[in-house]
Amino acid sequence: MRIAYCTNELWKGGGTERVLTTKVNWLCRQKGIEVYVIVLQDGRQPFFKLDDAVRLVELPVGTMQKKAYAEALKKALEDIDPDVTVAVSGLAVDVLPEFRWPCVMEFHYTRNFLVNFVRGIRNLRFKPLHVLKMRYLQWILARKARKFDRFVGLTERDVELWGHPKNMTYVHNPLSFRSERKSDCKKKVIISVGSWTPAKGMDRLLEAFGPLSALYPDWRVELYGSGQDEALLKEIIRNYGMESRVTLNAPVKNIGERLVEASIYAFPSRSDGFGLVITEAMECGLPTVAMDCPCGPCEIVTSRTGIVVPNDDVDAFRTALKRLMDDPDLRMSMGRQAVKEVARFYPDSIMPKWLDIFKGVNARHQ
């Protein structure tokens, strides 16, 4: 079976790139499977390591115009002649259903991610109008998704938000790495990883930790990411006078090395397709405190492995953090259980579901 993934790029260090790399690296090691990843040519190397067996195809496209992209992509696919094509991001979502090959759309967000993103922007003028525009864009996306043989989300809850389209199913993201080292949950460090954007809610974490920072001067928060909210985060840090207890760090490739040096994973997202980093934290032996945002945390974190609080409830988030900060035995117990429960997200558990989808789509085109 030949599988062709289509995405804009792999040079970014975000969750989509991490997940796609994990998937294709697993697939190319299976007997009888060839994997191609088609990207726009820009001279930059993939952020995460691709297996040597994965064929990377760069399209010589100078612009992002639909017509030029469609022509270049069609030529590449004619050379590959795949058994199934997969739209990950970009213009592939628009053009793949126009071609003759079986096509799957994998969706790395949640249905309302655009609306949730806009709602999370502070001091945005004419916010209701922007929300209305995002709802229109979501409607357009839903129409595009219906054209694919299979539309694959990340969570059961998101399928419900989409209204159970006939061609939709879901598959959780596979864990991106394994860690021999585990946290002992004794270091007084709270860690969170993700872009510094309204959707990821890092401002909510800092607002929750702010009143605790003076009460727990030996605890600190480590954030890893980048994005448009950096100035806002720095402002919150200054307002609470916690410059010595909060660190803003650039993204790193080996996040597991940072996770094992922490004791609590904080997940403050306003909106998230899944929450891959929660599973990474579990693999490293961390308990999680999470906002119950749409859509991932409630399908990952159990009462044995962490605490999920109502979305938007910063006070409850603070209380949950404090509970774990006060109770090292609870942290260690939840961390040990997290290591056990994360096995259901290992690639060997997740990726056979994708193979079943690909085989089913291909069979319907025979």
Side-chain angles (χ1 to χ4, degrees):
M1 173 179 283
R2 287 187 296 276
I3 305 168
Y5 283 86
C6 307
T7 190
N8 280 1
E9 71 277 307
L10 282 177
W11 62 266
K12 293 181 179 178
T16 298
E17 291 77 22
R18 182 184 287 276
V19 169
L20 178 56
T21 302
T22 300
K23 288 178 178 178
V24 298
N25 285 350
W26 187 91
L27 286 167
C28 75
R29 296 165 189 154
Q30 310 309 305
K31 185 177 180 180
I33 295 181
E34 298 176 13
V35 183
Y36 298 79
V37 180
I38 304 174
V39 299
L40 295 173
Q41 187 178 56
D42 63 10
R44 284 175 280 195
Q45 295 298 311
F47 189 87
F48 301 105
K49 172 65 176 173
L50 283 177
D51 191 285
D52 291 340
V54 176
R55 301 25 168 359
L56 187 65
V57 179
E58 296 183 291
L59 299 182
V61 180
T63 70
M64 285 291 290
Q65 294 180 352
K66 180 179 176 180
K67 183 177 180 181
Y69 177 83
E71 291 175 353
L73 180 59
K74 185 177 182 181
K75 183 178 185 303
L77 291 175
E78 285 174 345
D79 292 337
I80 298 170
D81 193 23
D83 296 291
V84 62
T85 61
V86 186
V88 179
S89 67
L91 286 172
V93 174
D94 293 323
V95 305
L96 273 188
E98 300 174 3
F99 301 152
R100 61 182 175 86
W101 297 278
C103 59
V104 174
M105 176 180 169
E106 61 174 51
F107 194 60
H108 287 261
Y109 305 92
T110 179
R111 180 185 183 275
N112 297 321
F113 79 103
L114 291 173
V115 169
N116 293 335
F117 185 92
V118 169
R119 284 176 174 168
I121 301 176
R122 299 191 184 193
N123 304 318
L124 177 65
R125 297 182 64 190
F126 310 114
K127 185 175 289 189
L129 291 178
H130 288 284
V131 169
L132 186 63
K133 178 182 178 181
M134 295 303 104
R135 290 195 183 282
Y136 172 71
L137 293 177
Q138 288 178 181
W139 178 77
I140 294 294
L141 181 60
R143 288 175 60 87
K144 293 177 181 178
R146 288 199 294 268
K147 297 179 181 180
F148 283 80
D149 296 296
R150 210 75 168 117
F151 174 36
V152 185
L154 295 174
T155 63
E156 182 178 9
R157 188 174 176 185
D158 202 40
V159 175
E160 294 174 359
L161 288 177
W162 282 99
H164 297 277
K166 291 182 179 179
N167 68 331
M168 189 175 188
T169 187
Y170 74 93
V171 179
H172 292 322
N173 276 334
L175 181 63
S176 57
F177 65 84
R178 299 286 292 274
S179 176
E180 292 186 7
R181 289 182 62 205
K182 310 296 180 185
S183 170
D184 60 13
C185 294
K186 294 180 179 179
K187 299 179 181 66
K188 296 183 178 182
V189 178
I190 300 167
I191 188 171
S192 191
V193 182
S195 61
W196 300 339
T197 60
K200 297 299 184 180
M202 296 300 176
D203 57 310
R204 303 202 294 186
L205 167 57
L206 295 184
E207 294 286 4
F209 182 73
L212 299 176
S213 63
L215 301 174
Y216 296 84
D218 50 350
W219 277 83
R220 70 179 194 271
V221 172
E222 298 280 348
L223 302 186
Y224 288 85
S226 63
Q228 68 190 57
D229 278 356
E230 182 173 353
L232 171 63
L233 300 184
K234 290 180 177 179
E235 178 184 350
I236 297 172
I237 292 169
R238 286 194 301 270
N239 289 344
Y240 285 103
M242 50 185 182
E243 290 89 344
S244 63
R245 291 185 284 281
V246 178
T247 305
L248 304 182
N249 304 284
V252 295
K253 295 183 179 181
N254 299 317
I255 192 60
E257 295 177 2
R258 306 303 197 277
L259 290 168
V260 297
E261 296 298 326
S263 292
I264 300 172
Y265 187 78
F267 188 84
S269 289
R270 291 182 171 88
S271 176
D272 211 287
F274 178 65
L276 173 68
V277 73
I278 297 177
T279 64
E280 295 173 342
M282 293 171 68
E283 171 67 14
C284 292
L286 294 185
T288 296
V289 173
M291 292 277 192
D292 188 20
C293 71
C295 284
C298 63
E299 296 182 32
I300 305 172
V301 182
T302 69
S303 60
R304 300 177 299 276
T305 64
I307 304 172
V308 179
V309 305
N311 197 23
D312 293 326
D313 195 336
V314 173
D315 290 339
F317 198 82
R318 181 182 304 117
T319 299
L321 288 174
K322 184 178 184 300
R323 181 183 172 194
L324 289 183
M325 292 163 72
D326 285 337
D327 194 337
D329 290 336
L330 180 60
R331 295 198 304 267
M332 288 185 279
S333 173
M334 286 183 166
R336 287 192 296 268
Q337 187 62 31
V339 172
K340 296 177 182 178
E341 294 193 17
V342 77
R344 62 192 174 101
F345 300 107
Y346 287 164
D348 286 344
S349 299
I350 296 295
M351 291 308 298
K353 300 175 184 178
W354 274 105
L355 283 179
D356 288 342
I357 290 172
F358 294 154
K359 291 174 183 177
V361 167
N362 183 259
R364 286 195 291 273
H365 275 254
Q366 297 301 316

